[in-house]
Amino acid sequence: MTMFGRLVHYGVDLVLISTALAGIRRSTGLTPKLDDANSTVQGMIKQYLDVGERVIDYAKPWMADSKLFKRQP
């Protein structure tokens, strides 16, 4: 696998993890405890988790309009 291929693979994995954490946050309200981290690390983690939030915000309307998914009562 080329170096570019590995970077793309790791990037997609990181986005998937961020999206899973965002889904956990939305469904349970649990968030990472960042009190002990300095402000730079807190900002980086917040930006990373915001990527997952944006993916969910994009995917939700797409899935609602798709015929592959339906809402359960």
Side-chain angles (χ1 to χ4, degrees), residues 2-73:
T2 65
M3 184 62 139
F4 180 72
R6 283 187 180 160
L7 288 174
V8 169
H9 177 78
Y10 293 144
V12 170
D13 286 348
L14 287 171
V15 170
L16 288 174
I17 291 168
S18 177
T19 305
L21 291 173
I24 291 169
R25 179 177 163 195
R26 286 188 179 191
S27 65
T28 66
L30 295 172
T31 59
K33 183 178 177 182
L34 302 175
D35 299 338
D36 299 335
N38 65 25
S39 61
T40 304
V41 173
Q42 285 180 353
M44 290 172 59
I45 293 173
K46 184 173 178 353
Q47 285 181 340
Y48 173 68
L49 295 175
D50 285 345
V51 170
E53 293 283 341
R54 280 183 255 142
V55 170
I56 289 177
D57 290 340
Y58 173 78
K60 190 174 178 182
W62 176 80
M63 292 169 69
D65 290 341
S66 172
K67 294 181 181 185
L68 299 174
F69 298 94
K70 67 176 185 172
R71 292 194 187 270
Q72 288 189 345

